[in-house]
Amino acid sequence: MDKHKETTRIRLARIGFVLLAIIFTLCIVTQVFFAGLAIFVDPVNWSKHTIFVHIFELVPILMLVTAFIGQLPLWAKWQSVALLGLIFMMYFTANVTTVLPWAAAAHPVIAIIMFWASLKMTRRAVSLLKIRNKQEILSSHIEDQSS
C-alpha cells in the first residue's frame, strides 16, 4: 500500500474516532433524557431508555477499532475499553436489583462517570486530531520543499 493511501486511511480512522466519541457522548445525554421522561413524565418511557442503549452500546467497539486503524495513542484504546466496561456495569446494576438493591443506586452514578469519561475522551481526541493535522501539514510542506 502506498504511503498516501495509508495516511488517508489513518486520517479517516482518526476522524471516525472523534465522530464516534461525539456520538457516544450525545447518546448518553439522550439516554439520561429518556430516564428523565420516565421518572417525571410517564413510566411508559422506560421502554425508550431500555431500547435506546441497544443502539449505541456498540459504539465503543467501533471506537476501539478506529483507534487501532488510526494508530491512536494507548489512552484512546484503553478508554474505549473502559466505556465498554461501564456499559457492562450499567447492565449489571440494572439487572441485579432484586438480589443487590443497592446496585440500582449505582446505576445513575455510573452514568455520570460514563458521561464524564466520554466527554473527556472526546476533548482529548479532538485536540489530538488538531495537533496531528498540523504536524502532517508541516511534514508535507517540508517534503514539498525538499523535492
Side-chain angles (χ1 to χ4, degrees):
M1 180 183 301
D2 69 20
K3 189 168 177 78
H4 178 68
K5 282 184 182 177
E6 185 175 336
T7 303
T8 302
R9 179 179 55 88
I10 290 169
R11 182 166 160 59
L12 289 175
R14 290 175 183 165
I15 292 168
F17 183 87
V18 169
L19 291 175
L20 288 168
I22 292 168
I23 288 168
F24 189 78
T25 303
L26 293 174
C27 286
I28 292 171
V29 171
T30 304
Q31 188 71 335
V32 171
F33 177 75
F34 288 150
L37 281 176
I39 293 168
F40 297 109
V41 178
D42 189 347
V44 75
N45 288 304
W46 281 122
S47 63
K48 292 177 184 172
H49 181 77
T50 56
I51 291 169
F52 186 65
V53 69
H54 299 302
I55 294 170
F56 74 92
E57 66 188 359
L58 298 177
V59 172
I61 294 171
L62 296 173
M63 291 170 68
L64 184 61
V65 170
T66 57
F68 275 101
I69 294 171
Q71 299 175 358
L72 290 173
L74 201 54
W75 65 260
K77 297 165 187 160
W78 277 112
Q79 286 185 359
S80 298
V81 171
L83 290 178
L84 279 170
L86 288 168
I87 289 173
F88 171 77
M89 289 174 64
M90 292 296 278
Y91 275 114
F92 178 78
T93 58
N95 291 309
V96 299
T97 56
T98 55
V99 180
L100 300 169
W102 59 267
H107 194 80
V109 174
I110 296 167
I112 292 168
I113 294 168
M114 192 181 314
F115 175 73
W116 173 78
S118 66
L119 191 60
K120 183 178 177 183
M121 182 166 40
T122 300
R123 292 180 71 188
R124 283 183 83 181
V126 167
S127 295
L128 183 66
L129 188 63
K130 287 178 183 178
I131 290 168
R132 296 240 172 143
N133 284 342
K134 287 178 185 177
Q135 289 172 346
E136 288 173 7
I137 290 168
L138 286 173
S139 66
S140 67
H141 180 67
I142 291 169
E143 287 175 11
D144 290 343
Q145 286 181 342
S146 65
S147 303

